[in-house]
């Protein structure tokens, strides 16, 4: 490796380090701004469960440190999720200098849509999925049972669902990227639709709690998003072909 290549490689490593530090700093700044409201944030996330608790029933903490660490942990995850645009901006700033102009025009909409879809998945989980799942689970237990969920267990349950739906809503973006890059095409994806239906339920089985309702509520949106991705990929492929003809 020549001195020029070595200095260039070291320069890329320094740039990568700086971008990582800025991404971590953005998470830290948001976390510091939110940590004072940690209990309020937890109360907001727990609202779908509290709304379905029987009368005179409350959430409990089975661990002495849980009343502190559960809201603290949730606030850290909220800071991480909130910093996603800043993190992706740092990723974009690192890779953009190595891209052609037409590649930048193609990838910017994908980057923006991926952020919006991630937040849409989390919102769909909170406002639609959680009330349905929690309403079902809190209504099917034996009458002699007193439901008092543990705050740490509920947090793990909710975060797992938020992450699963946030990632699942990225399916249209993934399809567009795969078709644009030439890794696959729309015709091939349509031919594999029966396998994708089965795969959606298998993936939902691993990403959600072990119950059929949660798996179905994730698998069905994944299939709808897959169909949406096929439609958008047609439009995106046409854009890509146009760009290539313009060169």
């Amino acid at each position: 490796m020549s001195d020029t290549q070595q200095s260039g490689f070291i320069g890329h490593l320094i740039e990568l380090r700086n971008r990582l530090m800025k991404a971590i700093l953005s998470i830290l700044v948001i976390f510091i701004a939110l940590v004072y409201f940690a209990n309020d944030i937890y109360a907001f996330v727990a609202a779908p469960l509290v709304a379905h608790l029987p009368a005179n029933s409350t959430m409990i903490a089975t661990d002495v440190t849980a009343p502190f660490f559960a809201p603290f942990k949730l606030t850290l995850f909220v800071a991480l999720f909130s910093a996603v645009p800043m993190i992706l901006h740092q990723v974009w700033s690192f890779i953009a200098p190595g891209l052609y102009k037409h590649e930048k025009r193609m990838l910017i909409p994908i980057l923006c849509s991926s952020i919006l879809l991630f937040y849409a998945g989390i919102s769909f989980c909170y406002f639609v999925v959680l009330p349905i799942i929690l309403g079902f689970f809190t209504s099917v237990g034996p009458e002699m049972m007193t439901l008092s969920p543990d705050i740490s267990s509920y947090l793990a349950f909710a975060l797992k669902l938020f992450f699963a739906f946030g990632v699942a809503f990225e399916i249209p973006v993934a399809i567009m990227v795969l078709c644009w890059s030439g890794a696959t095409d729309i015709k091939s994806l349509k031919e594999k639709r029966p396998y994708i239906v089965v795969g959606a339920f298998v993936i939902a089985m691993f990403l959600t709690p072990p119950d059929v309702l949660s798996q179905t509520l994730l698998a069905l949106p994944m299939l709808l998003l897959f169909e949406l991705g096929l439609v958008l990929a047609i439009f995106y492929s046409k854009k890509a072909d146009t760009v290539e003809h313009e060169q």
Side-chain angles (χ1 to χ4, degrees):
M1 181 181 294
S2 65
D3 293 339
T4 303
Q5 290 176 327
Q6 186 174 5
S7 61
F9 178 72
I10 294 174
H12 285 304
L13 289 180
I14 294 174
E15 175 72 10
L16 178 60
R17 182 199 63 184
N18 292 338
R19 295 297 176 186
L20 288 174
M21 292 299 295
K22 289 180 180 179
I24 295 173
L25 181 62
S26 65
I27 298 173
L28 182 61
V29 169
I30 296 175
F31 174 75
I32 293 174
L34 294 178
V35 71
Y36 178 79
F37 307 98
N39 290 335
D40 296 326
I41 294 172
Y42 189 93
F44 176 78
V45 173
L49 174 61
V50 174
H52 290 92
L53 288 178
N56 301 322
S57 180
T58 60
M59 299 182 70
I60 63 172
T62 56
D63 191 340
V64 175
T65 60
F68 172 78
F69 280 110
F72 185 89
K73 178 181 178 182
L74 174 60
T75 305
L76 182 60
F77 275 95
V78 171
L80 176 61
F81 290 160
S82 301
V84 167
M86 284 75 81
I87 295 172
L88 291 180
H89 173 70
Q90 296 303 322
V91 174
W92 173 256
S93 299
F94 180 73
I95 66 174
L99 298 175
Y100 293 108
K101 188 174 181 179
H102 73 277
E103 291 176 331
K104 293 180 182 180
R105 291 201 305 266
M106 297 294 289
L107 289 179
I108 288 177
I110 288 179
L111 187 66
C112 295
S113 60
S114 65
I115 296 173
L116 294 176
L117 285 171
F118 181 76
Y119 289 142
I122 295 177
S123 300
F124 178 77
C125 179
Y126 179 81
F127 290 105
V128 178
V129 177
L130 276 181
I132 294 175
I133 293 176
L134 297 174
F136 172 76
F137 285 139
T138 55
S139 63
V140 297
E143 294 183 359
M144 75 286 297
M145 179 190 68
T146 301
L147 181 63
S148 298
D150 176 65
I151 60 174
S152 297
S153 298
Y154 174 73
L155 176 60
F157 173 82
L159 288 178
K160 186 176 182 180
L161 283 179
F162 288 152
F163 179 77
F165 277 86
V167 172
F169 269 58
E170 300 292 337
I171 289 176
V173 173
I175 292 175
M176 286 190 293
V177 171
L178 289 173
C179 292
W180 175 61
S181 64
T184 186
D185 55 57
I186 299 172
K187 181 179 179 181
S188 177
L189 290 173
K190 288 182 177 179
E191 292 174 350
K192 297 175 181 176
R193 186 180 279 118
Y195 302 101
I196 292 174
V197 171
V198 176
F201 281 91
V202 172
I203 293 173
M205 179 179 64
F206 286 103
L207 292 180
T208 60
D211 64 273
V212 177
L213 183 60
S214 300
Q215 295 166 12
T216 304
L217 288 174
L218 177 58
L220 292 180
M222 287 173 65
L223 296 175
L224 293 176
L225 290 167
F226 169 76
E227 298 298 332
L228 175 62
L230 292 179
V231 175
L232 296 177
I234 296 174
F235 176 72
Y236 217 72
S237 297
K238 288 181 179 179
K239 287 175 63 179
D241 293 339
T242 303
V243 171
E244 290 176 359
H245 290 319
E246 290 176 353
Q247 292 180 335

